[in-house]
Amino acid sequence: MNVSGKTAICFTLAHPASHVRTPAAFNAVCQQRGTDAAMVALDVPACGLAPFFAVLRGLANVTGAVITVPHKTAATSLCDDLSPRAQAIGAVNVVRRRSDGSLHGDMLDGVGFVGGLRGADHAIEGRNVLLAGAGGAARAIAFALAEAGVARLAVCNRTQSHALDVVERVRRAFPNVAACVATADPDSFDIIVNATSLGLKNGDPPPIDVSRLRAGQLVAEIIMQPERTALIVAAEAAGARIHLGKAMLEAQLDLIVELLAPPPAEAAP
Ligand SMILES: NC(=O)c1ccc[n+]([C@@H]2O[C@H](COP(=O)([O-])OP(=O)(O)OC[C@H]3O[C@@H](n4cnc5c(N)ncnc54)[C@H](OP(=O)(O)O)[C@@H]3O)[C@@H](O)[C@H]2O)c1
């Protein structure tokens, strides 16, 4: 990679940042396409988020940033405008800096998750889904699954009020989807999704009651590192089909590159 003063620079903001894989994947795609752009991971604690956004507005060769844990919700109020889906979800995972310094936020996690399922030929329409988690990624996934036509969407989460917030947002936007707060029992569901952070750390317990998994179910993970979480191992042992977290990033990578590594004519001066 030949980074110069003309290179379109962008970032992945996370805290901690040691596990993030988006920069490597983004840079590989740009290199493959001959696009003069580079992404670097930045470890930004919560207190650094607003100061970073203020500086970002004035950086002429920076095209924006991918936003990840724990900043997706906080970043919404630091953008000048949001896509309709980011507005409805209340979270962003990509911020594009326009050439006038203004910041546009969008949320591609849900699009990526559903694209990954479809890419692996997993049916979504009419399915009963248990979604574990109620953070930024979970909210995006809930909206994308509802849009893709699931019949029932049940949300379980450590903090019940967060699960209820997701359910109420989905009910408002998709009145035809039966959305509810649920326990961590996966027995009555076709698809089970882990959209919590549980599984990132060695020794994390699974987000649902894995003793109730069975053959015929699809268990989808969104954690990418480690690739095989305790949930995935338990799902395989129970005879369920599995879907790994990397599919979600792969499916949204093209969209991220389109936004943050635009062709030279559109790139920030
Ligand atoms: N594959 C991909 O492309 C992709 C994309 C985005 C994110 N991810 C992964 O998805 C995960 C979640 O991201 P996010 O942006 O949604 O994070 P987030 O907004 O911080 O939400 C975290 C979620 O995990 C729950 N949680 C955290 N620690 C927990 C614990 N100790 N016990 C039980 N529940 C716990 C939270 O519950 P509370 O509401 O109770 O706090 C919340 O539901 C991250 O691991 C991230 O790496 C993957």
Side-chain angles (χ1 to χ4, degrees):
M1 184 179 283
N2 186 15
V3 177
S4 75
K6 293 181 189 159
T7 305
I9 303 293
C10 56
F11 303 101
T12 287
L13 303 195
H15 181 65
S18 53
H19 66 286
V20 299
R21 295 176 55 173
T22 310
F26 178 96
N27 292 333
V29 171
C30 290
Q31 212 161 358
Q32 214 171 39
R33 294 183 184 176
T35 306
D36 190 10
M39 181 181 281
V40 173
L42 291 181
D43 188 337
V44 181
C47 64
L49 194 66
F52 174 82
F53 269 64
V55 170
L56 178 60
R57 292 171 186 280
L59 300 176
N61 67 336
V62 173
T63 52
V66 167
I67 311 293
T68 185
V69 181
H71 301 309
K72 290 180 188 181
T73 306
T76 55
S77 60
L78 300 171
C79 294
D80 296 295
D81 49 81
L82 302 175
S83 68
R85 63 184 160 218
Q87 181 84 54
I89 292 162
V92 297
N93 82 324
V94 61
V95 172
R96 183 175 181 195
R97 179 192 177 279
R98 300 189 185 94
S99 52
D100 65 0
S102 65
L103 302 176
H104 173 74
D106 200 354
M107 174 39 99
L108 303 175
D109 278 343
V111 184
F113 180 75
V114 164
L117 281 187
R118 288 207 167 114
D121 282 335
H122 294 304
I124 302 170
E125 201 173 346
R127 296 297 192 268
N128 292 327
V129 180
L130 176 62
L131 174 67
R139 263 185 278 172
I141 289 169
F143 268 65
L145 286 172
E147 196 170 11
V150 297
R152 181 163 63 119
L153 183 70
V155 182
C156 66
N157 190 52
R158 175 179 61 181
T159 310
Q160 281 241 340
S161 59
H162 296 170
L164 188 59
D165 178 57
V166 176
V167 165
E168 283 172 351
R169 283 171 188 264
V170 170
R171 280 183 186 152
R172 272 197 297 274
F174 301 93
N176 293 337
V177 174
C180 61
V181 174
T183 68
D185 180 357
D187 183 54
S188 62
F189 296 93
D190 309 310
I191 303 176
I192 295 100
V193 183
N194 177 31
T196 73
S197 314
L198 283 177
L200 267 183
K201 284 185 274 166
N202 223 348
D204 273 352
I208 52 138
D209 179 357
V210 292
S211 71
R212 303 272 290 166
L213 289 172
R214 55 184 165 74
Q217 292 176 316
L218 172 67
V219 176
E221 181 59 88
I222 75 163
I223 301 275
M224 289 185 286
Q225 190 79 310
E227 187 172 76
R228 301 172 67 76
T229 57
L231 174 64
I232 289 294
V233 171
E236 273 189 318
R241 289 168 299 151
I242 59 158
H243 182 77
L244 299 179
K246 64 183 178 187
M248 179 170 163
L249 174 62
E250 285 164 5
Q252 66 172 308
L253 197 57
D254 280 347
L255 298 170
I256 293 173
V257 170
E258 238 170 70
L259 278 173
L260 298 184
E266 289 175 33

